[in-house]
Amino acid sequence: MWGGRVRSLFRVWGLVPAELPGRRPLSEHAASQAGSRGLRCWSCGGPGYSGRGDGLFCPQCRALQPPDPTRDYFSLMDCNRSFRIDTTKLQHRYQQLQRLIHPDFFSQRSQTEKDFSEKHSTLVNDAYKTLLAPLSRGLYLLNRKNLLTM
């Protein structure tokens, strides 16, 4: 019952059990880098999201990949890292991303992809709300540069 789920979770976390032929478990350091570029796809095991495109989908199997926890809101929303941003461009990018990753589009997919979709959608919503309002955008910029302590 749990075999498939556990295996897919190991793949998501970057830990592949040693009993799988041709695979070896990653080190703890490599496993802690889950979500960073250059990892293998959790679904097909192929070279995953190595920086091509948005890094949201595997280039081989088109499975939605886990969100990158190190990615900041400006790079996610394709904006310059400054206080002045083009809010029209921000709105278009928000709509573009939601058309790709909204949970409604993943209702017929695996539970893992549904979970990733929810996480991506939440991240995009947070990024959009933060960057759209000037005060929260300024606070976010200061926080990213370690100039704000809360």
Side-chain angles (χ1 to χ4, degrees), residues 33-89:
Q33 298 298 316
S36 65
R37 295 172 189 233
L39 291 180
R40 298 205 166 275
C41 171
W42 67 269
S43 179
C44 70
Y49 40 110
S50 59
R52 282 186 230 132
D54 290 328
L56 298 173
F57 297 93
C58 171
Q60 292 181 351
C61 70
R62 299 295 297 155
L64 185 63
Q65 299 302 302
D68 183 353
T70 62
R71 193 169 188 187
D72 73 336
Y73 289 170
F74 289 100
S75 66
L76 177 65
M77 301 307 282
D78 197 24
C79 293
N80 294 330
R81 281 182 189 82
S82 69
F83 183 74
R84 291 184 179 212
I85 61 172
D86 183 356
T87 55
T88 305
K89 181 180 174 185

Side-chain angles (χ1 to χ4, degrees), residues 2-127:
W2 294 98
R5 279 192 177 166
V6 171
R7 243 187 320 277
S8 65
L9 284 174
F10 278 144
R11 278 185 264 167
V12 168
W13 294 330
L15 302 169
V16 180
E19 66 267 4
L20 292 177
R23 306 262 175 103
R24 61 179 175 78
L26 296 176
S27 67
E28 282 186 27
H29 174 71
S32 71
Q33 298 298 316
S36 65
R37 295 172 189 233
L39 291 180
R40 298 205 166 275
C41 171
W42 67 269
S43 179
C44 70
Y49 40 110
S50 59
R52 282 186 230 132
D54 290 328
L56 298 173
F57 297 93
C58 171
Q60 292 181 351
C61 70
R62 299 295 297 155
L64 185 63
Q65 299 302 302
D68 183 353
T70 62
R71 193 169 188 187
D72 73 336
Y73 289 170
F74 289 100
S75 66
L76 177 65
M77 301 307 282
D78 197 24
C79 293
N80 294 330
R81 281 182 189 82
S82 69
F83 183 74
R84 291 184 179 212
I85 61 172
D86 183 356
T87 55
T88 305
K89 181 180 174 185
L90 177 67
Q91 183 178 13
H92 287 293
R93 176 66 175 164
Y94 170 75
Q95 291 170 347
Q96 175 192 28
L97 287 172
Q98 285 296 2
R99 280 191 298 267
L100 289 172
I101 52 99
H102 194 275
D104 289 347
F105 301 122
F106 289 85
S107 63
Q108 300 300 313
R109 298 284 188 97
S110 69
Q111 187 60 44
T112 303
E113 280 187 280
K114 288 178 189 177
D115 294 342
F116 288 157
S117 173
E118 289 177 19
K119 289 176 183 176
H120 275 290
S121 189
T122 301
L123 184 64
V124 168
N125 285 335
D126 291 345

